[in-house]
Amino acid sequence: MRIGIVGLGLIGGSLAKAYKRAGIKVYGYDKNHLITELAIMAKSIDQELTKENTKDCSVIFLAISPDQAVKWMEEHGNELSTNTIVIDCCGTKRKVCEAGVQWSQKYGFTFVGGHPMAGLQFGGFKNSKESLFDGALFVVVPSDPNDLFTLQKVKEVVLLAGFSKVTYTTPENHDKIIAFTSQMAHVVSNAFIKSETAREEGTKISAGSYRDFTRVAYLDAAMWTELFLENKDYLKSEIDFLCNELRKYSKALEENDSEGLYKLLKEGKDRKMEVDHRCD
């Protein structure tokens, strides 16, 4: 088996290292050629992914942005073997999956949407590590949910990188859920840290909740701008809902409404308990 990886940042670099750990031959490419050379020197990949060897790969992961993934399939799809499975690792799925179906049908390779649910505060190849995906979830967004042979092969390949669980969904459902579970966390954290209190007092009086809540405020602005705009319908709906809820808390405080505030807080606690119970 040979694995190809396009994009050697945090996700792509960690995939490369994880598959090398598993004893698999890895070809890698990054638009920054120095990163590709560094990955070879660090033995994180065996050699550069090129026009000549892409057809030798059983699976190629696109660990790049949705726009870049779409462009790569358009420009390189004709270089792939009909036995190659292309899996994107993008944070949104509707756009890239639509393009993946289009170009796979034209060129004959197999496309499967994917999303590795793991990450770190800081990106880049220098922060990648072979254990990043150990115990993590990998979301598969199949082009053909009835192609059980391909889905089984994808599952087997993914588990080799350390993932412990694979789940399946549609592009629409993925983007709706990710707007709440991931994108909202980044938006709220990023807005929260803009408070003048953070600038003036910093972390003089803080505990774990402040650290955890602000961790994802440190983000790649260009990447998240693209992801947010691609998922703007679902994300805006979640933001509007949260703003409406926050206004209820603000009103209760303004009116010194202890009963109303208690009710809001209890509702939130009860919902958290309900959600945790369903996840057990």
Side-chain angles (χ1 to χ4, degrees):
M1 178 187 294
R2 289 176 172 82
I3 298 291
I5 300 173
V6 180
L8 296 172
L10 175 64
I11 298 300
S14 296
L15 283 171
K17 293 175 181 179
Y19 283 115
K20 285 294 294 178
R21 178 182 64 178
I24 297 171
K25 192 163 188 177
V26 178
Y27 300 149
Y29 168 82
D30 194 274
K31 62 182 180 180
N32 183 342
H33 191 65
L34 290 177
I35 297 297
T36 305
E37 292 182 342
L38 177 61
I40 294 173
M41 291 173 57
K43 297 184 178 180
S44 299
I45 62 174
D46 293 284
Q47 62 188 78
E48 183 175 4
L49 180 69
T50 65
K51 179 178 180 179
E52 290 70 34
N53 61 31
T54 52
K55 60 181 176 295
D56 300 327
C57 296
S58 303
V59 176
I60 292 181
F61 288 95
L62 303 181
I64 47 184
S65 74
D67 282 344
Q68 292 171 338
V70 170
K71 184 177 180 181
W72 190 92
M73 288 186 284
E74 179 182 1
E75 295 180 348
H76 299 278
N78 62 339
E79 302 167 6
L80 302 175
S81 164
T82 55
N83 296 318
T84 299
I85 299 174
V86 175
I87 305 174
D88 83 278
C89 298
C90 301
T92 54
K93 294 268 77 78
R94 284 175 289 177
K95 178 179 180 178
V96 72
C97 285
E98 181 180 0
V101 170
Q102 175 188 349
W103 296 114
S104 63
Q105 289 177 346
K106 179 175 181 178
Y107 293 123
F109 63 89
T110 299
F111 173 80
V112 176
H115 190 175
M117 302 304 293
L120 295 173
Q121 180 177 352
F122 301 104
F125 179 77
K126 65 181 180 179
N127 294 302
S128 63
K129 56 181 182 178
E130 65 180 28
S131 62
L132 181 65
F133 308 114
D134 289 354
L137 168 69
F138 192 93
V139 180
V140 175
V141 186
S143 300
D144 180 3
N146 296 313
D147 185 358
L148 300 183
F149 175 80
T150 296
L151 295 182
Q152 180 60 31
K153 185 173 181 180
V154 169
K155 181 178 180 179
E156 291 172 357
V157 169
V158 164
L159 294 179
L160 288 172
F163 294 94
S164 63
K165 184 179 179 182
V166 177
T167 190
Y168 306 89
T169 190
T170 64
E172 292 76 15
N173 192 54
H174 171 278
D175 287 358
K176 180 179 180 180
I177 294 174
I178 216 70
F180 174 70
T181 60
S182 176
Q183 294 184 339
M184 273 292 285
H186 286 78
V187 168
V188 175
S189 178
N190 193 264
F192 171 82
I193 199 62
K194 294 175 185 178
S195 167
E196 285 300 315
T197 305
R199 176 179 293 171
E200 295 168 1
E201 300 297 331
T203 58
K204 292 179 181 177
I205 304 176
S206 65
S209 57
Y210 174 83
R211 181 186 64 249
D212 294 342
F213 193 59
T214 57
R215 180 180 65 83
V216 293
Y218 190 98
L219 46 70
D220 182 332
M223 180 187 77
W224 284 100
T225 295
E226 180 181 343
L227 293 174
F228 288 166
L229 288 176
E230 286 189 7
N231 209 29
K232 63 182 180 181
D233 50 351
Y234 289 130
L235 180 56
K236 184 178 184 305
S237 177
E238 292 292 348
I239 292 174
D240 290 346
F241 172 82
L242 178 61
C243 289
N244 184 57
E245 286 297 304
L246 289 175
R247 280 191 288 268
K248 295 178 184 178
Y249 289 81
S250 180
K251 181 180 179 182
L253 292 170
E254 182 180 358
E255 297 178 354
N256 201 33
D257 181 5
S258 61
E259 182 177 345
L261 183 58
Y262 174 85
K263 181 180 178 182
L264 289 169
L265 295 171
K266 189 173 186 306
E267 285 175 349
K269 178 183 177 181
D270 290 346
R271 178 60 61 86
K272 171 62 174 172
M273 293 175 65
E274 175 191 347
V275 170
D276 285 353
H277 178 71
R278 288 169 59 188
C279 292
D280 289 340

